[in-house]
Amino acid sequence: MSNTIALYPLSNFTFSTKEAQPEEDPSVSARLQRLQNNYEDFGMRRTVEGILVVHDHGHPHILMLQIANAFFKLPGDYLKPGEDEIDGLKKRLDDRLAPPSNSQQFDQNHGIDNDWEIGDCLAQWWRPNFETFMPSIGSGTYHGFTLYGGRRSISYPFIPAHITKPKECKKLFLVQMPERKVLAVPKNMKLLAIPLFELYDNAARYGPQLSAIPHLLSRYNFIYL
């Protein structure tokens, strides 16, 4: 992908809602047990997420999901064994943000048929194990940890020296948004446009992965359309 990227204004995009997408597991312990079982059956978990960039008033913004008014995350999810990363990310973005296939309220003027353009892989994060620790705060992101129901799970932008079999690899891909697109948000989530200046050096609120995005994007020149 070119180092020069065209960004379209947030006002170009059409936002709607769709049925809620509840969490896959009823508790933290159930989630960890499922991850452990999947690791034993299929090996290291592979996750892909998209960095969706738009602009508002001439400043880059990242589209992020907010869950339970606290936890911020990029759209995406884990891949099936053997699934291609790019095709898999497009499918996960559709699962999370595409309007229902039977929706009749949108047409080509809304960009209903515009596809996701997946660009460079900007980062890899590695989870060394499935263990969690109990901090003294609620769910969200905090000081280098991703929190699940009040528990924190550590990931690194490298494989720690003592780890030979990491349990998860998460890749973050740049997604260049088309000129127009319909984004349907599950009713139990919010889709927020977070400015880069809010993310920068703000791991206390967004965690290390999201607060690093301004650094990851610094290699690109943006054209504001």
Side-chain angles (χ1 to χ4, degrees):
M1 176 176 285
S2 170
N3 281 354
T4 299
I5 296 177
L7 298 185
Y8 294 99
L10 183 63
S11 57
N12 272 27
F13 301 94
T14 302
F15 298 90
S16 67
T17 60
K18 60 183 178 182
E19 290 301 313
Q21 296 179 355
E23 292 294 318
E24 201 167 342
D25 304 294
S27 67
V28 174
S29 59
R31 181 179 189 276
L32 295 177
Q33 184 60 55
R34 178 174 58 82
L35 294 178
Q36 182 66 45
N37 294 341
N38 287 346
Y39 177 79
E40 293 172 357
D41 292 339
F42 306 113
M44 183 185 71
R45 174 185 173 112
R46 298 180 302 134
T47 298
V48 289
E49 294 181 348
I51 299 176
L52 283 57
V53 192
V54 300
H55 83 84
D56 192 29
H57 300 294
H59 184 77
H61 286 58
I62 309 301
L63 297 181
M64 292 186 185
L65 293 164
Q66 187 182 37
I67 303 172
N69 292 320
F71 175 57
F72 295 90
K73 72 183 299 292
L74 297 170
D77 212 332
Y78 62 90
L79 298 172
K80 297 178 180 179
E83 188 174 12
D84 179 78
E85 292 176 345
I86 302 302
D87 292 340
L89 178 54
K90 288 182 177 182
K91 184 178 186 303
R92 301 309 180 279
L93 292 175
D94 281 341
D95 290 344
R96 191 68 82 189
L97 294 175
S101 57
N102 60 354
S103 176
Q104 302 295 322
Q105 64 185 114
F106 306 112
D107 56 30
Q108 293 182 353
N109 293 326
H110 300 95
I112 191 67
D113 295 324
N114 290 341
D115 197 8
W116 306 101
E117 183 179 343
I118 310 300
D120 299 324
C121 177
L122 300 183
Q124 293 185 99
W125 289 84
W126 303 87
R127 183 205 295 262
N129 53 56
F130 296 130
E131 297 177 359
T132 60
F133 303 89
M134 181 67 75
S136 58
I137 59 176
S139 299
T141 52
Y142 184 77
H143 289 314
F145 303 96
T146 299
L147 303 187
Y148 300 100
R151 297 173 182 266
R152 58 191 184 183
S153 178
I154 307 174
S155 296
Y156 300 92
F158 54 85
I159 302 177
H162 62 287
I163 298 297
T164 59
K165 296 181 179 180
K167 302 303 184 290
E168 180 180 21
C169 175
K170 178 192 290 187
K171 293 187 178 182
L172 307 184
F173 287 87
L174 177 64
V175 179
Q176 186 167 0
M177 297 293 288
E179 182 177 2
R180 299 184 185 279
K181 194 167 182 64
V182 178
L183 301 172
V185 185
K187 290 181 179 179
N188 59 325
M189 303 179 190
K190 296 179 181 178
L191 187 66
L192 304 178
I194 310 296
L196 288 193
F197 65 76
E198 167 71 12
L199 292 173
Y200 176 70
D201 198 28
N202 199 356
R205 178 167 174 77
Y206 295 100
Q209 296 180 22
L210 302 182
S211 63
I213 289 176
H215 296 279
L216 300 177
L217 295 179
S218 65
R219 59 185 282 199
Y220 298 101
N221 298 313
F222 295 120
I223 298 175
Y224 305 108
L225 302 176

